[in-house]
Amino acid sequence: MTTDSTAAVFSSEQVRRARYAIASVFAVHGAVTGSFATRVPWIQDHAGLSAGQLGIALAFPAIGASLAMPLAGAVSHRFGARTALRGLLMLWTLALILPSIAPNLLTLCAALMVYGASAGMSDVAMNALGVEVENRLNKSIMSGLHGMWSMGALIGSAAGTVAAHLGADARLHHAIAALTLTTLGLIACRQVLDLRSEPDAKAPPRFTLPPRSALIIGAVGFCAVFAEGASLDWSAVYLRDVLDSSAGLAAASTTAFALTMAVARIAGDRVVDRFGAVRTVRTGGVLATVGGVLVVTAPNAALAMCGFGLMGLGIAVVVPLAFAAAGRSGPNPSQAIAGVATITYTSGLIAPSAIGSLAEATSLVVSFGLVSVLAFGLVLGAGVLRAGDRKGASSDAGRPAAAQSEPLH
């Protein structure tokens, strides 16, 4: 947003309601992703795609998101934060319908590009509002918000799994899910902060490169998302192929990793408030590095699963803190958040294929050695998140006098 957001004064009750509202928005956003992911096999069969063609199609959400995210700031400036989020979230929830009705590769690529573009813009808008609520509460909430996203994704995945098990047509499933999530999203948006640009504020450019600060912060997010993508997509394969585990145990490792991430994010705000963003990420980097080393040296599945669990704990709060730091790193929060989001989306896109390519050239053990090296990058780069670090900061810094007089905790 390009608003002078500190100029807007809200009561403590409004801010509290806005916190729960934006948490609900995060959950709705995650539920769309979970709903889509479980029906990818149905969509592949419906469109008559080979594995290679499906891989091409699945690159288009990230392409659409990367192209559209820089536009989110201009949309928020033009319509105001609440109206922009309402419209962008509605586009995202309704876009869930598009992939399942695509009859071939070309239409599926187009559908997924729209799907990704709406996902990316709504992602930037909701993170910018999340940072604003965090500023006004003067305590960390971003980790918990991303934990709500993970919980929404798990709920959407669970519903999709049931639908797939029952043999439901994905077109019907996604139509019902889209309408339900659209309704829930519109209800939640009613209570988010209604921030608007100052009348004389200059409109941001419709498309611009991210600021240098966002690139540096994004590099830390890149390391975390790379480790996350590698673990989610390859942990089961690693246990099966390297450690000769059963299919059931291998699949359980992926579920356990996702649950670890969700729980750690929900609990992460307390840790961040106590120790600060920099110390939390630095310690998390140590845990993730130890977890990566444990994975590549583990003689059995149990130790490898412990390693993946440590990685999940270590990287869980990095992306939320990267968004928070980006939102405070300059005069244009949406532009900075869009820059970090673009970098992390790119990392999530290339991680699975990079791990696979390196494994084909060497081995999966070497691939996860690379993951361990990137996890150690969190230890080295944690200092760039100081912009989002509240430990030791004055609770009144950057807040209007009217807001300072009210107990926002």
Side-chain angles (χ1 to χ4, degrees):
M1 285 166 291
T2 58
T3 86
D4 180 11
S5 56
T6 59
V9 178
F10 298 93
S11 70
S12 58
E13 183 60 30
Q14 285 177 305
V15 176
R16 289 192 184 96
R17 287 200 303 265
R19 177 184 181 178
Y20 296 123
I22 200 66
S24 300
V25 168
F26 270 76
V28 168
H29 197 284
V32 176
T33 300
S35 299
F36 167 75
T38 53
R39 305 312 305 270
V40 169
W42 189 98
I43 292 170
Q44 178 184 10
D45 292 341
H46 176 69
L49 305 182
S50 66
Q53 290 174 321
L54 178 63
I56 293 172
L58 291 177
F60 276 80
I63 294 172
S66 298
L67 292 175
M69 281 188 289
L71 303 174
V75 175
S76 292
H77 175 88
R78 173 68 177 81
F79 297 102
R82 180 190 290 172
T83 301
L85 178 62
R86 183 186 293 125
L88 293 173
L89 185 66
M90 185 169 64
L91 285 176
W92 165 233
T93 52
L94 293 176
L96 176 62
I97 298 172
L98 299 179
S100 61
I101 63 176
N104 53 49
L105 176 61
L106 182 62
T107 54
L108 181 60
C109 289
L112 289 176
M113 193 163 183
V114 173
Y115 173 87
S118 58
M121 288 193 292
S122 56
D123 194 309
V124 171
M126 71 186 190
N127 273 285
L129 274 168
V131 171
E132 184 61 39
V133 173
E134 182 174 271
N135 288 341
R136 291 171 184 275
L137 289 172
N138 199 39
K139 63 179 181 179
S140 177
I141 66 167
M142 289 300 291
S143 179
L145 293 181
H146 283 254
M148 289 298 294
W149 189 97
S150 297
M151 293 304 297
L154 286 171
I155 293 171
S157 297
T161 300
V162 172
H165 181 72
L166 295 175
D169 189 307
R171 291 169 293 189
L172 176 61
H173 164 213
H174 282 170
I176 294 172
L179 293 175
T180 302
L181 293 172
T182 298
T183 301
L184 293 175
L186 290 175
I187 292 172
C189 285
R190 293 173 62 184
Q191 297 296 328
V192 301
L193 296 180
D194 190 15
L195 300 171
R196 295 182 178 275
S197 298
E198 293 297 311
D200 58 347
K202 182 180 178 181
R206 288 187 175 86
F207 189 93
T208 184
L209 293 175
R212 184 169 177 266
S213 60
L215 297 177
I216 297 172
I217 294 168
V220 175
F222 180 96
C223 294
V225 174
F226 193 99
E228 180 181 354
S231 299
L232 283 173
D233 287 4
W234 286 95
S235 58
V237 178
Y238 188 93
L239 263 69
R240 184 194 65 191
D241 293 354
V242 177
L243 299 174
D244 198 27
S245 302
S246 67
L249 184 60
S253 69
T254 302
T255 303
F257 179 84
L259 283 171
T260 300
M261 289 278 295
V263 171
R265 281 178 169 172
I266 290 173
D269 289 318
R270 291 180 179 272
V271 178
V272 175
D273 279 333
R274 180 168 182 178
F275 298 106
V278 174
R279 289 175 64 188
T280 299
V281 171
R282 192 162 283 149
T283 303
V286 172
L287 286 176
T289 304
V290 171
V293 171
L294 188 57
V295 167
V296 300
T297 59
N300 55 58
L303 284 177
M305 290 179 72
C306 289
F308 283 118
L310 284 175
M311 276 203 287
L313 286 174
I315 66 177
V317 301
V318 176
V319 171
L321 292 179
F323 281 127
R328 301 188 188 99
S329 65
N332 192 332
S334 287
Q335 183 183 347
I337 289 172
V340 171
T342 301
I343 294 169
T344 55
Y345 266 69
T346 301
S347 180
L349 173 65
I350 69 172
S353 59
I355 292 295
S357 299
L358 184 57
E360 187 173 348
T362 55
S363 69
L364 268 177
V365 174
V366 173
S367 294
F368 276 94
L370 172 63
V371 173
S372 302
V373 172
L374 290 175
F376 188 68
L378 300 177
V379 180
L380 301 178
V384 305
L385 302 181
R386 204 170 302 278
D389 202 335
R390 297 189 168 279
K391 187 65 177 175
S394 169
S395 62
D396 292 341
R399 293 170 55 200
Q404 292 168 13
S405 65
E406 296 178 5
L408 295 182
H409 292 282

